[in-house]
Amino acid sequence: MLKTALRNLLAHKARQIMTLLAVCLGVAFVSGTLVFADSTAEAHRAAASKSFADIAVTVTAKTPPPGAAAHQRTSALDDALARKLAAVPGVAAVRPSADGSAALNAADGTPLRVAPGANPAAGYVPGKDGKDSRYPLAEGRAPTHSGELAVDRGTAAAGHLRIGDTITLATDGPVMTKRLVGIVTTDDTRVTAGGTLALFDQATAQKLFASPGHYTGIDLSAAPGTDQFTLSRRVTGVLPADRAEATTGAAQAAQQALYVGTLTRGYEKLPLVFAGVSLFIGSFLIINTFTMLVSRRTREIALLRAIGATRRQVSRSVLLEALLVGLVASAAGFLLGLGIAAVLPGILSTDGNTLPQGPLVIGPRPVVAALGVGVGVTVLAAWLPSRRAAKVAPIEAMRTTDQPPSAKRSRLRGVAGLVLLVPGAGVLVSLSGAKDASEQNLQNAMFGCALLVAALIVLAPLLAAPMIRLTGRLTGRFGITGRLAQRNALRDPRRTAATAATLLISTALVAGLAVIGNSTGQALDRQAAAGLGADYVISSRTPTTGVDPAAVRRVAGTSGVRTASAVTDSTLFTGGAVREISGVDPRTVHDVMKLDFVSGSAKDLGPGRIAVSSTLARANGVTTGGHLTVRLGRNQEFNKYTVVGVYKDNPVAHDALGARTEVAHDSYLPGSVQRILVRTDGGAVSATTEDRLRTAVGNSPLLKVQDRQQFVHEAAGTMGNLLTLMYGMLALGIVIAALGITNTLAMSVAERTREIGALRALGMDRSGIRRMIRLEAVTVAAFGTLLGLAGGLFGAWAVGSLANGAMPQYRLALPWGTLLLVCLLSLTIGALAATVPAHRAAGLSPLEAVAEV
């Protein structure tokens, strides 16, 4: 049987190519993603280790406990401690530093990338040779006074900055301007991963990030023969235990590599999603291929049974053939995956997040995954065809025609399909009235969608005949070739359904996601627009910084501004829940926010008095005039607040409203402002007004100035990743569907050789044969597409009702353009997939084809 499996594989190698490609794609994504993850992690570790290569121990200050005395709140890291550390045995050198973060503008005034942890800033600390080994100079010189600055080479290139340029930057408040005097190189993974680096002279860095004469850290290098851990213990012995701590350079390198790796870990998810989709869809191609091969070899298998082969041996022969295909596909997929791993850093670095480069790391994990996935999926997919092969009776060798599926089998298929369809559709219909996007309901919706897709796949052979007859009205317009194409598609409904299954699944996924994505995007647009009364929103780019309170006055005095209302955002703790509260000015809030109060109003906001959203009111069972016990921001005590109003949910107002003076007092950034809502005279929005507002806030790179349209667009921008995923899955599904259609038609042409020869002998020309095969492919593609659209739209309708509970503005909005594009692509790919089989069929000689036995 081993020889038989090998012979069959070699005899039908052309028909296995499509199966190999489908499995190869899935294996490539899995193994490539794992190699990419391991390689990127190793590159992070290598870059971080290089950054801390000359640092044995770093001393940092501990966070003082609440209520600490004044001397405890002052940093213990000063020149006196630095001298004390220099006397510790084994310390070769001491380098105090003051580090923080700073956001910079490019040469054209636009902010460079601003993200938490991605904008390190530090003091340039020259050693005895006048150079800082951490930051080798590439151009210019080091900064020497408060008006000078140095940046890394990547920042200079991204911002088109040159030596001598004046740069606008900000740390945590007012903007500053400094002259660029130096460009350095760095191995800091936070910077090489797409961040920015700003270097000041030491005195300026101390003033910005610590205090004069104090530091944020003291780096120690070890003398020869002293290891980091020994030195760390010695240093810990001389530190004030409650105010400072020591960390080895190796621990810092590992921590930084882990941090940057966490930031970039999301890049691994998308390829794995594509891997899962390709393997899932590809499994149907494998099933279809082996089913067709078993059907083609019915007489051969029957003869094997007649000469003594057992059912187990026949089944093993088919599974062994699948195993060999899986091994070849795994090897090819793994090699292709190495190529994917090599190009992924370049592809994923295009958004400004540059991934560290390094050699590919090939560990046991991707190798085992490639073999497990490739072989496992192929063998599992071939299991059903192998059972069918084992059931072939010896008498089948005497039959000359294929037997249609029995009525009993069709009834069983129908029953199985209904068993899946009824509960699946029932779950989705029951959720349509839930309007509650709870985790349990979302899980139920996903379960219902899975049952629905499974039911469509099982029922597809039974649905093929009526749907293809319906689409046959279009193909019938092409005359006899169209009618023959329809009959060929109806000849074996199981094969047609299995071929269309790949398009069914991908179309259902894409159609459902497209509808949900389009509907949610429009709902977010309406939600943001409905709650915003201001014409401009000025806000911080990072959660750890706010708007300079002085900027509020400058904005209010800007020409054309009618109202400038400052908003302080903070957290609101209500027992076990964490909410958001906006501190506003009761006198101006109605001018900049569209608040729809169910009861009460915002005019009574003040100390001890808040207004809450409808959702928060329902969750806590309070109404206007009632009391709510909550904790604001950094305040450690729960206090009872009077509810002066309940308003409909508003994303601009968040979960609750309070007086800004009280919210700002208890904010984690006391006295800070997170947003300025601006109302202009007559609602004027123009580039000139925007420029005036940017000037009023000092053109700070930490701040965003957005008009209403930009603000609403950003609120809906979260759907971008979903749409990217949607189109990626569509492309992948279409590729695998094309392989399946090509494979099916190629085998179908081989089965119909004599039939095609007879058509040629009766007068049908080559173009007619090609047209017939193409129309058959388009018919199969249309069947899968229509069935997938129906399932996807039904699932989107049910899931969308849950979103309506979370967003009252949610309305089902069909993206007609996207759906039409999906249909056109599916039909086009069906026609293109038939190119090779059609060419082969048209090239058959009539006499040879009719004479074939």
Side-chain angles (χ1 to χ4, degrees):
M1 298 309 293
L2 174 60
K3 291 180 179 179
T4 301
L6 289 171
R7 181 188 63 79
N8 287 332
L9 182 60
L10 293 175
H12 305 102
K13 53 183 179 294
R15 298 170 189 172
Q16 296 284 13
I17 289 178
M18 304 304 174
T19 302
L20 286 169
L21 288 175
V23 180
C24 182
L25 282 175
V27 172
F29 278 117
V30 171
S31 61
T33 302
L34 295 177
V35 171
F36 162 72
D38 292 343
S39 303
T40 303
E42 182 59 33
H44 284 145
R45 286 191 290 269
S49 297
K50 190 174 181 181
S51 298
F52 293 93
D54 61 342
I55 298 175
V57 176
T58 294
V59 176
T60 55
K62 288 184 176 181
T63 303
H71 74 280
Q72 290 179 305
R73 292 195 296 269
T74 303
S75 174
L77 310 185
D78 53 17
D79 291 324
L81 181 60
R83 290 191 294 269
K84 188 175 180 180
L85 292 173
V88 173
V91 173
V94 177
R95 183 173 58 200
S97 61
D99 301 335
S101 64
L104 296 86
N105 278 341
D108 61 0
T110 59
L112 292 170
R113 183 190 177 216
V114 180
N119 308 107
Y124 188 92
V125 186
K128 295 180 180 178
D129 58 355
K131 300 177 181 179
D132 191 331
S133 60
R134 299 173 299 172
Y135 311 112
L137 279 165
E139 296 181 45
R141 59 176 177 81
T144 57
H145 61 79
S146 60
E148 296 179 343
L149 179 75
V151 299
D152 70 287
R153 182 178 287 169
T155 299
H160 304 288
L161 303 172
R162 298 181 179 180
I163 299 295
D165 286 352
T166 298
I167 300 178
T168 303
L169 69 151
T171 53
D172 60 356
V175 296
M176 301 173 284
T177 56
K178 298 187 182 295
R179 189 168 67 91
L180 182 64
V181 298
I183 296 176
V184 303
T185 59
T186 180
D187 295 313
D188 190 328
T189 51
R190 296 171 297 175
V191 180
T192 57
T196 62
L197 172 67
L199 297 176
F200 307 90
D201 65 283
Q202 184 72 305
T204 301
Q206 286 179 299
K207 185 183 299 183
L208 290 173
F209 307 124
S211 60
H214 293 83
Y215 308 98
T216 58
I218 301 177
D219 297 329
L220 310 175
S221 57
T226 304
D227 65 87
Q228 295 184 3
F229 301 100
T230 299
L231 186 60
S232 177
R233 288 195 297 270
R234 294 175 184 173
V235 168
T236 301
V238 302
L239 293 177
D242 59 338
R243 301 181 62 194
E245 59 185 348
T247 308
T248 64
Q252 293 181 81
Q255 184 178 8
Q256 189 175 107
L258 179 64
Y259 170 74
V260 179
T262 301
L263 292 179
T264 56
R265 191 171 297 154
Y267 295 140
E268 304 169 17
K269 296 179 181 178
L270 193 59
L272 285 176
V273 170
F274 287 139
V277 172
S278 64
L279 289 169
F280 180 65
I281 298 177
S283 63
F284 290 92
L285 191 153
I286 300 169
I287 294 173
N288 198 26
T289 300
F290 276 94
T291 299
M292 293 175 70
L293 287 174
V294 168
S295 177
R296 287 271 298 170
R297 302 205 301 262
T298 298
R299 295 183 65 186
E300 175 188 327
I301 294 171
L303 286 173
L304 289 173
R305 295 275 287 114
I307 62 176
T310 64
R311 290 188 174 187
R312 180 172 297 181
Q313 285 178 314
V314 171
S315 178
R316 285 178 178 175
S317 175
V318 176
L319 291 177
L320 183 59
E321 188 176 342
L323 174 65
L324 295 174
V325 171
L327 288 172
V328 174
S330 297
F334 183 76
L335 293 177
L336 180 60
L338 295 181
I340 292 176
V343 301
L344 271 179
I347 295 174
L348 298 177
S349 295
T350 55
D351 63 349
N353 300 323
T354 306
L355 297 174
Q357 300 291 330
L360 292 180
V361 176
I362 304 175
R365 188 174 63 147
V367 176
V368 172
L371 287 173
V373 169
V375 175
V377 169
T378 309
V379 172
L380 284 175
W383 180 71
L384 284 176
S386 72
R387 285 175 54 85
R388 187 172 300 167
K391 293 179 180 179
V392 174
I395 194 63
E396 297 289 338
M398 306 298 295
R399 293 175 177 165
T400 59
T401 59
D402 293 334
Q403 298 299 310
S406 65
K408 180 180 179 182
R409 182 177 295 177
S410 297
R411 286 195 298 270
L412 290 176
R413 179 180 290 274
V415 171
L418 290 176
V419 168
L420 293 171
L421 180 64
V422 172
V427 168
L428 294 177
V429 170
S430 65
L431 291 173
S432 63
K435 297 186 181 301
D436 178 12
S438 65
E439 183 177 353
Q440 183 61 48
N441 279 343
L442 290 175
Q443 291 177 353
N444 291 339
M446 293 177 64
F447 177 69
C449 289
L451 288 179
L452 178 64
V453 171
L456 290 177
I457 293 172
V458 173
L459 292 173
L462 303 180
L463 299 173
M467 292 191 68
I468 290 177
R469 289 193 181 96
L470 179 64
T471 58
R473 296 181 180 180
L474 297 177
T475 57
R477 296 178 180 273
F478 291 89
I480 187 62
T481 55
R483 290 193 293 274
L484 286 173
Q486 180 190 23
R487 291 178 182 178
N488 289 333
L490 288 171
R491 181 176 298 181
D492 190 342
R494 288 182 302 173
R495 178 185 300 179
T496 298
T499 305
T502 52
L503 273 177
L504 187 158
I505 297 168
S506 58
T507 303
L509 286 172
V510 170
L513 288 175
V515 172
I516 293 173
N518 186 63
S519 303
T520 303
Q522 292 189 18
L524 289 172
D525 285 351
R526 290 190 292 268
Q527 189 181 55
L532 183 65
D535 301 303
Y536 284 93
V537 178
I538 302 173
S539 59
S540 175
R541 295 180 184 273
T542 64
T544 57
T545 58
V547 184
D548 180 12
V552 181
R553 295 188 295 271
R554 294 196 299 269
V555 170
T558 300
S559 175
V561 172
R562 188 177 81 185
T563 305
S565 183
V567 180
T568 296
D569 296 320
S570 187
T571 51
L572 182 76
F573 299 90
T574 60
V578 180
R579 306 282 187 170
E580 291 182 283
I581 184 170
S582 299
V584 298
D585 184 346
R587 298 170 300 176
T588 60
V589 64
H590 280 286
D591 202 27
V592 293
M593 290 184 187
K594 294 180 180 179
L595 296 171
D596 186 1
F597 272 85
V598 178
S599 59
S601 69
K603 66 180 182 180
D604 295 324
L605 292 175
R609 300 190 298 274
I610 61 174
V612 298
S613 66
S614 298
T615 298
L616 184 59
R618 285 195 303 270
N620 291 273
V622 296
T623 57
T624 299
H627 295 88
L628 186 63
T629 301
V630 297
R631 178 168 67 87
L632 291 181
R634 62 190 176 93
N635 192 340
Q636 298 299 311
E637 297 181 1
F638 279 84
N639 295 295
K640 184 179 290 186
Y641 286 81
T642 300
V643 177
V644 297
V646 177
Y647 56 89
K648 292 183 178 179
D649 289 7
N650 188 317
V652 181
H654 293 156
D655 301 299
L657 290 173
R660 196 180 76 81
T661 51
E662 183 175 20
V663 175
H665 179 269
D666 292 323
S667 170
Y668 288 101
L669 298 172
S672 66
V673 173
Q674 275 66 53
R675 293 178 286 164
I676 305 177
L677 305 182
V678 180
R679 189 75 178 268
T680 59
D681 293 329
V685 175
S686 64
T688 302
T689 303
E690 184 174 333
D691 289 340
R692 289 173 182 168
L693 293 175
R694 292 186 185 278
T695 302
V697 295
N699 200 25
S700 173
L702 290 174
L703 303 180
K704 296 181 291 185
V705 179
Q706 300 171 297
D707 60 30
R708 174 192 291 271
Q709 184 177 1
Q710 292 168 336
F711 177 80
V712 170
H713 179 73
E714 183 182 67
T718 53
M719 301 308 299
N721 291 336
L722 177 62
L723 295 177
T724 300
L725 180 65
M726 177 191 74
Y727 290 120
M729 286 193 295
L730 172 62
L732 191 60
I734 283 179
V735 168
I736 298 177
L739 297 177
I741 293 173
T742 303
N743 204 26
T744 300
L745 289 177
M747 299 178 78
S748 179
V749 166
E751 291 177 352
R752 304 203 308 259
T753 298
R754 297 184 67 185
E755 174 187 324
I756 293 171
L759 290 173
R760 293 278 287 120
L762 291 172
M764 182 176 286
D765 58 13
R766 295 179 187 272
S767 62
I769 296 294
R770 286 194 292 267
R771 189 181 307 115
M772 179 184 69
I773 301 299
R774 289 197 184 98
L775 288 175
E776 183 180 349
V778 170
T779 299
V780 173
F783 168 59
T785 301
L786 292 176
L787 203 56
L789 282 175
L793 294 179
F794 182 75
W797 166 75
V799 174
S801 64
L802 301 182
N804 183 259
M807 291 184 293
Q809 293 82 3
Y810 185 93
R811 301 290 184 273
L812 192 68
L814 299 181
W816 294 108
T818 301
L819 297 179
L820 179 61
L821 178 63
V822 169
C823 294
L824 291 177
L825 281 176
S826 299
L827 297 179
T828 302
I829 205 65
L832 292 176
T835 301
V836 174
H839 179 76
R840 179 182 175 186
L844 290 173
S845 169
L847 293 178
E848 293 178 359
V850 172
E852 185 178 281
V853 294

